[in-house]
């Protein structure tokens, strides 16, 4: 089946120029060189227009956990700005962009000029309304209350241009109406890479879970009483997808390889787990993949995430005495196989990818200031071939998420059964050979402390479902939204740490029993002639110290302890930090746009 070339089919439609508007586009009419009278004339026109709306993510998902407790970053991120002081609305000029909405509403105003059957028209209306829902989901996540527009705004529409923010409850109601229409009318099948009914339903369930949990755990909205209806919708829609029988988890029967291999395939077309992927084909558009996914450029995985992975027997890693000071090699012993399919593990064989000065062979963890020392192999193409790298398919929407959504929604509702677990969470665990989750697990004190506000009657199993979600979807860009909807933003205040070192001297990082690196005090110099280890290889030297000192690696105690990434993450102010202000220039243009929640 021919795959749709998303992001690149707008060549013809670009001539319309309706999207060439800036943030204050609402006071403009669409400037068109090809007007609606001579464009919306047939299905090909509608398809071309809709294809221009595609904006699904690419390889960047593997860096999108940055600035959460999953991944530390040396880069500048918005949440760092939010937590780093007391910023005002003028510090957040972005986000208030409505270009996509105008494109959708322009389509919905004009598309019925095409002489097509009602079924075909409803399909295209459903696609447009799906993209409008997606647009407003992002706005609600960022601002909560936003103006709702379902028509093209002209320069003389003063009342609409100067309207206030509509309440979240109204906007979400409209979002759900759009999703519902799309879920009923968008075609069930499509060419690969195009939106179909299953993709619509997956995003409908995703947002229903988001909104249901957000309302449950955010009392500042005063919408707690309506949370259950969204949670029930999330459960019902996910179950509908599950019962449809179209998808299943990808597995070849190799629990130590299948999970990792899912993220480094050149062709996900036909993969039973992938509902939606972005990809490269025929050299028209490459995936944009970059080996910095590995984690030595700005983003690096954290110890906090590593410690959430279970032991291979299903017990809690953090139940072991002294777990916080385990050396790197021990951290990977007898663990959930997904750990060594997500993190570069002791004994990882790195092929000769150009970025890494060590070249190919047994990988010795590279250490650097403000980095955790952990590296990522999830989504990392361990192949020096540019052809392989540039043709990576990115799994944007996985069936695994549907299973997690179903289990979490049912647990939040207090209606989860062992049968529900067996057809959701335990399928994920089966893939990697992990013990199954029971309906009444013992409460892990670490998880208990992370999420003290959970309110369901099935709290113990909900905590484990949250853990499972964190592990299964790790480093795919889900963590920030999860923390926000669970009202767990305070976890972002924790300073993220890396590998633990007992002290100066020689350390084994490859797991072969032969030391690979030497840690020196920052008062010492790295020798010009390096000592060789028992394998005849030069030791790799690092000078250690505390943050702010002249050192190559920052350790908590200067000469021992965990690798340190920062000295202060700032303060997460509740509820203010869960939201962003309307940009100040927009408030000046429209004084009716009042700031909320402390902004």
């Amino acid at each position: 089946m021919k795959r749709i070339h998303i992001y690149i089919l707008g060549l013809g439609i670009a001539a319309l120029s309706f999207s060439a508007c800036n943030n204050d586009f609402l006071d403009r009419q669409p400037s068109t060189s090809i007007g609606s009278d001579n464009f919306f004339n047939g299905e090909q026109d509608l398809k071309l227009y809709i294809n221009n709306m595609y904006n699904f993510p690419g390889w960047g998902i593997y860096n999108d956990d940055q600035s959460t407790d999953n991944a530390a970053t040396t880069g500048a991120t918005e949440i760092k700005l939010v937590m780093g002081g007391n910023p005002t609305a003028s510090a957040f000029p972005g986000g208030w962009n409505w270009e996509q909405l105008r494109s959708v509403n322009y389509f919905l105003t004009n598309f019925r000029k095409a002489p097509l059957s009602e079924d075909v028209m409803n399909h295209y209306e459903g696609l447009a309304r799906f993209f409008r829902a997606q647009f407003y989901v992002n706005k609600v996540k960022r601002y909560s209350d936003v103006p709702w527009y379902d028509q093209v705004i002209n320069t003389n529409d003063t009342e609409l241009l100067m309207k206030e923010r509509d309440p979240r409850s109204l906007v979400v109601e409209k979002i759900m109406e759009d999703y519902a229409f799309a879920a009923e009318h968008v075609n069930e099948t499509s060419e690969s890479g195009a939106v179909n009914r299953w993709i619509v339903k997956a995003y409908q369930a995703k947002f229903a879970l988001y909104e249901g949990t957000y309302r449950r755990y955010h009392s500042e909205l005063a919408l707690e009483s309506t949370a259950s209806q969204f949670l029930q919708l999330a459960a019902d829609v996910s179950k509908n997808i599950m019962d449809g029988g179209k998808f299943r988890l990808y597995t070849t029967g190799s629990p130590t390889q299948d999970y990792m291999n899912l993220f480094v395939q050149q062709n996900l077309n036909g993969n039973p787990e992938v509902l939606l992927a972005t990809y490269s084909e025929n050299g028209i558009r490459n995936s944009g993949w970059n080996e910095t996914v590995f984690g030595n450029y700005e983003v690096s995985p954290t110890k906090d995430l590593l410690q959430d992975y279970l032991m291979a027997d299903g017990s809690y890693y953090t139940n072991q005495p002294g777990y916080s000071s385990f050396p790197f090699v021990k951290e990977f012993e007898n663990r959930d196989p997904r750990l060594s399919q997500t993190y570069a593990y002791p004994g990882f064989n790195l092929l000769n990818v150009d970025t890494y000065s060590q070249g190919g062979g047994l990988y010795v963890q590279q250490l650097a200031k403000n980095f955790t020392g952990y590296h990522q192999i999830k989504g990392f193409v361990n192949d020096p071939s540019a052809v392989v790298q540039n043709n990576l398919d990115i799994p944007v929407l996985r069936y695994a998420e549907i299973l997690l959504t179903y289990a979490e929604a049912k647990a939040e509702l207090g209606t989860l059964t062992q049968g529900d677990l067996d057809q959701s969470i335990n399928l994920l665990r089966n893939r990697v050979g992990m013990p199954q989750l029971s309906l009444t697990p013992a409460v892990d004190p670490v998880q208990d402390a992370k999420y003290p506000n959970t309110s369901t009657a099935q709290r113990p199993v909900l905590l484990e479902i949250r853990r499972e979600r964190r592990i299964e979807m790790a480093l795919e860009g889900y963590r920030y939204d999860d923390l926000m909807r669970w009202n767990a933003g305070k976890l972002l205040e924790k300073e993220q740490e890396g590998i633990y070192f007992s002290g100066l001297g020689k350390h084994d990082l490859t797991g072969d029993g032969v030391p690979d690196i030497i840690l020196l005090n920052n008062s010492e110099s790295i020798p010009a002639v390096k000592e060789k280890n028992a394998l005849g290889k030069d030791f790799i030297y690092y000078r250690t110290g505390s943050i702010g000192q002249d050192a190559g690696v920052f350790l908590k105690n200067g000469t021992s302890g965990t690798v340190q990434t920062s000295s202060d993450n700032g303060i997460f102010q509740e509820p203010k930090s869960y939201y962003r202000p309307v940009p100040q220039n927009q408030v000046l243009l429209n004084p009716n746009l009042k700031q909320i929640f402390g902004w």
Side-chain angles (χ1 to χ4, degrees), residues 275-296:
L275 283 73
L276 177 66
T278 55
Y279 49 80
S280 170
E281 187 173 272
N282 299 331
I284 296 176
R285 184 187 73 84
N286 71 47
S287 65
W289 185 86
N290 191 295
E291 59 254 36
T292 55
V293 167
F294 194 66
N296 69 346

Side-chain angles (χ1 to χ4, degrees), residues 72-74 298 300 368-372 547 552 554 563-566:
T73 184
T74 61
E298 291 195 355
S300 56
K369 59 181 66 178
N370 299 115
F371 287 83
T372 62
I547 289 180
F554 299 136
V563 173
Q564 301 294 286
T565 61
S566 65

Side-chain angles (χ1 to χ4, degrees), residues 9-57:
L9 285 179
L11 297 178
I13 203 74
L16 289 171
S17 301
F18 57 77
S19 62
C21 307
N22 60 20
N23 289 5
D24 60 351
F25 81 93
L26 288 173
D27 62 358
R28 301 184 178 191
Q29 295 188 43
S31 173
T32 60
S33 58
I34 301 177
S36 60
D37 290 341
N38 59 355
F39 181 75
F40 295 97
N41 295 322
E43 185 170 3
Q44 187 59 32
D45 287 355
L46 304 190
K47 182 178 181 180
L48 187 63
Y49 195 113
I50 289 292
N51 287 345
N52 204 54
M53 296 180 187
Y54 280 64
N55 58 354
F56 297 106

Side-chain angles (χ1 to χ4, degrees), residues 186-311:
V186 170
N187 291 343
E188 184 174 313
T189 60
S190 65
E191 54 189 323
S192 181
V195 172
N196 57 40
R197 189 174 300 178
W198 301 108
I199 292 170
V200 170
K201 288 183 176 182
Y203 279 105
Q204 180 187 27
K206 179 198 288 272
F207 182 62
L209 178 69
Y210 181 94
E211 187 65 11
T213 49
Y214 204 99
R215 292 186 182 203
R216 168 160 286 181
Y217 294 111
H218 283 268
S219 59
E220 72 272 12
L221 298 180
L223 294 172
E224 297 99 318
S225 63
T226 61
S228 292
Q229 70 188 61
F230 290 93
L231 294 170
Q232 189 63 59
L233 180 63
D236 291 345
V237 176
S238 337
K239 190 62 163 58
N240 178 264
I241 298 172
M242 293 159 64
D243 290 344
K246 299 286 186 180
F247 308 99
R248 60 178 174 81
L249 297 180
Y250 167 77
T251 178
T252 68
S254 177
T256 61
Q257 294 292 324
D258 285 339
Y259 179 77
M260 177 177 63
N261 288 343
L262 177 62
F263 304 97
V264 290
Q265 295 184 19
Q266 289 185 270
N267 188 356
L268 288 171
N269 190 22
N271 187 295
E273 183 168 344
V274 179
L275 283 73
L276 177 66
T278 55
Y279 49 80
S280 170
E281 187 173 272
N282 299 331
I284 296 176
R285 184 187 73 84
N286 71 47
S287 65
W289 185 86
N290 191 295
E291 59 254 36
T292 55
V293 167
F294 194 66
N296 69 346
Y297 180 79
E298 291 195 355
V299 183
S300 56
T302 65
K303 180 178 287 294
D304 190 273
L305 171 58
L306 177 143
Q307 291 178 340
D308 253 8
Y309 286 79
L310 297 172
M311 301 299 291

Side-chain angles (χ1 to χ4, degrees), residues 330-400:
K330 186 174 178 58
E331 289 182 306
F332 287 80
E333 293 176 354
N334 303 315
R335 302 295 298 278
D336 181 330
R338 284 172 292 188
L339 176 58
S340 290
Q341 296 177 69
T342 302
Y343 282 58
Y345 52 87
F348 174 66
N349 184 36
L350 178 65
L351 300 180
N352 195 16
V353 180
D354 291 341
T355 296
Y356 306 106
S357 59
Q358 292 184 28
L362 203 61
Y363 182 66
V364 180
Q365 298 291 126
Q366 289 181 322
L367 307 179
K369 59 181 66 178
N370 299 115
F371 287 83
T372 62
Y374 297 113
H375 291 87
Q376 177 178 339
I377 57 175
K378 184 176 187 178
F380 174 72
V381 181
N382 191 20
D383 193 314
S385 167
V387 173
V388 173
Q389 294 172 5
N390 290 336
N391 285 278
L392 179 71
D393 283 7
I394 310 297
V396 175
L397 193 60
R398 297 199 284 127
Y399 185 57

Side-chain angles (χ1 to χ4, degrees), residues 269-532:
N269 190 22
N271 187 295
E273 183 168 344
V274 179
L275 283 73
L276 177 66
T278 55
Y279 49 80
S280 170
E281 187 173 272
N282 299 331
I284 296 176
R285 184 187 73 84
N286 71 47
S287 65
W289 185 86
N290 191 295
E291 59 254 36
T292 55
V293 167
F294 194 66
N296 69 346
Y297 180 79
E298 291 195 355
V299 183
S300 56
T302 65
K303 180 178 287 294
D304 190 273
L305 171 58
L306 177 143
Q307 291 178 340
D308 253 8
Y309 286 79
L310 297 172
M311 301 299 291
D313 64 2
S315 62
Y316 304 139
Y317 173 80
T318 50
N319 277 355
Q320 301 175 98
Y323 74 90
S324 61
S325 57
F326 283 173
F328 176 71
V329 172
K330 186 174 178 58
E331 289 182 306
F332 287 80
E333 293 176 354
N334 303 315
R335 302 295 298 278
D336 181 330
R338 284 172 292 188
L339 176 58
S340 290
Q341 296 177 69
T342 302
Y343 282 58
Y345 52 87
F348 174 66
N349 184 36
L350 178 65
L351 300 180
N352 195 16
V353 180
D354 291 341
T355 296
Y356 306 106
S357 59
Q358 292 184 28
L362 203 61
Y363 182 66
V364 180
Q365 298 291 126
Q366 289 181 322
L367 307 179
K369 59 181 66 178
N370 299 115
F371 287 83
T372 62
Y374 297 113
H375 291 87
Q376 177 178 339
I377 57 175
K378 184 176 187 178
F380 174 72
V381 181
N382 191 20
D383 193 314
S385 167
V387 173
V388 173
Q389 294 172 5
N390 290 336
N391 285 278
L392 179 71
D393 283 7
I394 310 297
V396 175
L397 193 60
R398 297 199 284 127
Y399 185 57
E401 184 184 357
I402 305 301
L403 302 180
L404 288 161
T405 295
Y406 177 71
E408 183 180 347
K410 292 281 284 183
E412 285 284 3
L413 290 165
T415 59
L416 184 74
T417 67
Q418 186 62 50
D420 293 329
L421 283 176
D422 291 343
Q423 60 182 319
S424 57
I425 300 302
N426 288 332
L427 294 181
L428 298 172
R429 293 195 173 188
N430 289 345
R431 167 162 57 185
V432 293
M434 284 291 291
Q436 299 204 335
L437 177 62
S438 75
L439 195 60
T440 55
V443 173
D444 176 6
V446 174
Q447 301 300 308
D448 188 51
K450 284 181 178 179
Y451 311 115
N453 62 340
T454 49
S455 56
T456 175
Q458 295 184 307
R459 186 169 184 271
V461 73
L462 176 63
L463 292 177
E464 290 309 305
I465 291 170
R466 288 189 179 187
R467 181 206 301 274
E468 193 73 21
R469 181 178 177 89
R470 186 183 190 189
I471 298 310
E472 177 66 29
M473 311 305 292
L475 308 177
E476 292 181 61
Y478 287 80
R479 186 62 173 172
Y480 181 81
D481 276 358
D482 287 345
L483 294 179
M484 295 303 100
R485 65 188 178 90
W486 294 334
N487 196 17
K490 281 290 186 181
L491 291 177
L492 299 181
E493 294 179 356
K494 180 181 177 181
E495 304 303 325
Q496 294 309 320
E497 300 176 309
I499 297 172
Y500 176 86
F501 290 100
S502 57
L504 302 179
K506 299 175 181 179
H507 297 271
D508 171 26
L509 296 181
T510 61
D512 59 4
V514 177
D516 312 288
I517 70 169
I518 296 179
L519 299 183
L520 304 175
N521 191 291
N522 68 323
S523 62
E524 300 180 68
S525 298
I526 296 175
V529 178
K530 297 179 175 57
E531 181 183 347
K532 294 185 182 296

